[in-house]
Amino acid sequence: MSKLASADSGVPTLAVSTVIFTLRPNQAGAMQLAIALVRRIKKPYLGLWALPGGPLSMNEDLATAASRNLLETTGLHPRYLEQLYAFGNLDRSPNDLAEDRVVSIVYWALVGSEEAAEAVEGENVQWFWADQLDPLAFDHSLIVEYALWRLRNKLEYSRLAHGFLGERFTLAQLREVYEAVLGRALDPGNFRRMVQGNGAVVATSERLEGTRHRPPKLYRYDSSIDLTDQGPLNTGERK
Amino acid sequence: MSKLASADSGVPTLAVSTVIFTLRPNQAGAMQLAIALVRRIKKPYLGLWALPGGPLSMNEDLATAASRNLLETTGLHPRYLEQLYAFGNLDRSPNDLAEDRVVSIVYWALVGSEEAAEAVEGENVQWFWADQLDPLAFDHSLIVEYALWRLRNKLEYSRLAHGFLGERFTLAQLREVYEAVLGRALDPGNFRRMVQGNGAVVATSERLEGTRHRPPKLYRYDSSIDLTDQGPLNTGERK
């Protein structure tokens, strides 16, 4: 199996990184999709922003390492966590010294908006709007682009929006999540019919507390439906 | 980032493995989904069957390593190759010595039926029916189960069946691929309407050569439709 190996005796380093999504209010008060990034404090790409991550340690599961990235970066726990992809192209680092090769197994995570408001921020850890990113270190721009694509695709056929919301929500709040993730306005009437038609969201007997004359009804996700379907891995990974 | 690291100085080994699918005729002459496996010739799991794979070498891309697995195991090149998942649970090997931990980045591949008939076979490399496997080494039974799930899901919304067929095929041949992968008979009339309705398959002016009075029409896939969509990775991975 090793006949293609080069003369050097090195092996690729294995790292785990995490794309952390949340919704945060923008200056106009509308929810907008944001990503947590860390600033590089060493070469290569010194000073650029990058996905949080680090080497996989010997006694950690992959998902545990991804959760730890999230906790160490933001002080938060994920509402949803899924493996995205393993990135291992030879040219993903500008430094072509063979001993620097890193293969990154990347996860993506959703953090609730309320928790995200409490998140750690600092000079070297910040939230950025997902659709307004400058070029990131390494191949991280491509990784974020792929994570966004996966998030937008999954939103349409799963109850993934739950990862940003509380247990109870109005249809307007749910629509706001869809609008923030998809990056476009949705017609309220069409959205209501879509949601009520697919059956994943059920009305509760409660209404939003407030001062309005006719407060909107609160909904919840049908818990008998999986947050998102990974088939055999749904049980296999939790053994 | 290393505060959870154990006292030992080891790092997990990175391996690449490949689930190789093809269609082969069974004793009744019908096409059936098969997987190429290799026999373990060392411990652990000595004598059991496993997915082909090996350590990632320093100068190989992940997909290149997966193709090499396929070539070394069967002598064949893939018609289709896609990353499946990275498996890295701490308990995936029975040997709980920390220095034996392996993280496997797994690909799945489709090999054309005609090529598969020429494939290398031997005492330690054989094709098995995908739905009649005995327990495999390590967590490879779970990996195969997940690969089957992915294949069956993707078949329904992509032109993946192409990976088993030639450039031109009859609707009966296409239906045979679907039946083999899904493991159940399909109504010919409904299948024809489904295929003609989704627009991915277009009729050619040719007909199957043979002795029949009215030979069936040959179809081809519309090449403007991606074999299967991975969004930004479609270009990103080929850079």
Side-chain angles (χ1 to χ4, degrees), chain B residues 207 211-217:
Chain B
R207 288 180 179 273
T211 57
R212 288 167 63 176
H213 169 61
R214 209 178 148 226
K217 194 176 279 190

XYZ file of all heavy atoms in Angstrom, chain B residues 207 211-217:
73
model
N -31.462 2.668 -31.946
C -32.156 1.582 -31.269
C -31.168 0.467 -30.966
O -30.106 0.377 -31.577
C -33.308 1.051 -32.142
C -34.468 2.031 -32.221
C -35.607 1.525 -33.076
N -36.691 2.499 -33.101
C -37.672 2.546 -32.189
N -37.720 1.671 -31.212
N -38.617 3.470 -32.273
N -31.935 -8.854 -32.993
C -32.757 -9.557 -33.975
C -34.249 -9.302 -33.793
O -35.062 -9.811 -34.556
C -32.521 -11.067 -33.844
O -32.819 -11.437 -32.493
C -31.085 -11.421 -34.171
N -34.579 -8.506 -32.805
C -36.001 -8.343 -32.524
C -36.681 -7.528 -33.621
O -36.077 -6.663 -34.252
C -36.191 -7.681 -31.168
C -35.856 -8.633 -30.025
C -35.743 -7.898 -28.714
N -37.029 -7.293 -28.341
C -37.213 -6.647 -27.192
N -36.218 -6.547 -26.333
N -38.375 -6.127 -26.916
N -37.937 -7.803 -33.770
C -38.731 -7.121 -34.780
C -38.766 -5.607 -34.538
O -38.639 -4.784 -35.436
C -40.145 -7.708 -34.776
C -41.112 -6.905 -35.589
N -40.945 -6.705 -36.949
C -42.252 -6.241 -35.240
C -41.939 -5.951 -37.393
N -42.735 -5.658 -36.384
N -38.897 -5.250 -33.255
C -38.984 -3.826 -32.932
C -38.023 -3.528 -31.776
O -38.422 -3.515 -30.610
C -40.424 -3.506 -32.514
C -40.790 -2.060 -32.844
C -42.228 -1.736 -32.485
N -42.312 -0.350 -32.088
C -42.958 0.096 -31.021
N -43.596 -0.727 -30.230
N -42.969 1.376 -30.748
N -36.748 -3.337 -32.089
C -35.763 -3.177 -31.013
C -36.011 -1.895 -30.212
O -36.463 -0.894 -30.777
C -34.428 -3.095 -31.763
C -34.776 -2.667 -33.138
C -36.143 -3.193 -33.417
N -35.731 -1.954 -28.898
C -36.040 -0.798 -28.060
C -35.122 0.389 -28.353
O -33.979 0.225 -28.761
C -35.825 -1.324 -26.637
C -34.961 -2.516 -26.775
C -35.217 -3.094 -28.128
N -35.646 1.564 -28.097
C -34.931 2.817 -28.311
C -33.792 2.966 -27.291
O -33.902 2.520 -26.140
C -35.924 3.974 -28.141
C -35.434 5.309 -28.645
C -36.515 6.381 -28.521
C -37.507 6.331 -29.658
N -38.421 7.504 -29.675
